[in-house]
Amino acid sequence: MRVVLALMTAAGGLLATTAIAQSVAPPPPPIPYGGGLMRADTNRGGTITRAEMLADADARFVAMDTDKDGKVTAAERDAARAAMRAQRRNGNGGGPRGGGGFGMRGDPDGDGALTRAEAAQRAGARFDRLDTNRDGRLDAAELAAARPMRGPRNPPLPTPTPAQ
């Protein structure tokens, strides 16, 4: 009798465990860190806040301002991009910070240099544009939706037209 009772208890426990295991939803896929905008997610919370975005922009500005005059010139920007490309070619991914991302389009006064305030203003405007649900956080869905805005990475070359 004890053996039968023990077997029934064990079988009941296995059935309950199976039922519980089937009802638990699988965790969402992990968000890749280290590249793109996710480098700004410093607390690894899976979303990017406005403060994280601005801090990342400031860190990139500081890394590019090699002469520490408070301005990033086109030459400093180009040097930072070249260094980032060299790091990528060498297989270490360019690092999480310091490689570019600021173009001179963000130079509203047209003086040929980007100030720290202009860089922060540009990063804030980008955050506002990407935060489509206006919750103050950029999540994986918003980042995925933003990807097509940048266009294709390797656009096809135009086909030459035959001479007439």
Side-chain angles (χ1 to χ4, degrees), residues 93-135:
R97 302 212 189 280
F102 293 119
M104 291 298 117
R105 293 186 314 262
D107 178 24
D109 58 8
D111 67 351
L114 191 66
T115 66
R116 195 177 219 153
E118 290 167 342
Q121 180 182 11
R122 185 171 176 188
R126 184 177 188 197
F127 183 90
D128 293 341
R129 186 176 65 249
L130 297 177
D131 186 19
T132 55
N133 64 4
R134 304 291 180 240
D135 66 349

Side-chain angles (χ1 to χ4, degrees), residues 130-157:
L130 297 177
D131 186 19
T132 55
N133 64 4
R134 304 291 180 240
D135 66 349
R137 297 181 178 280
L138 300 179
D139 58 27
E142 288 168 317
L143 294 176
R147 182 76 201 144
M149 288 184 212
R150 296 181 63 196
R153 285 189 176 238
N154 296 314
L157 297 173

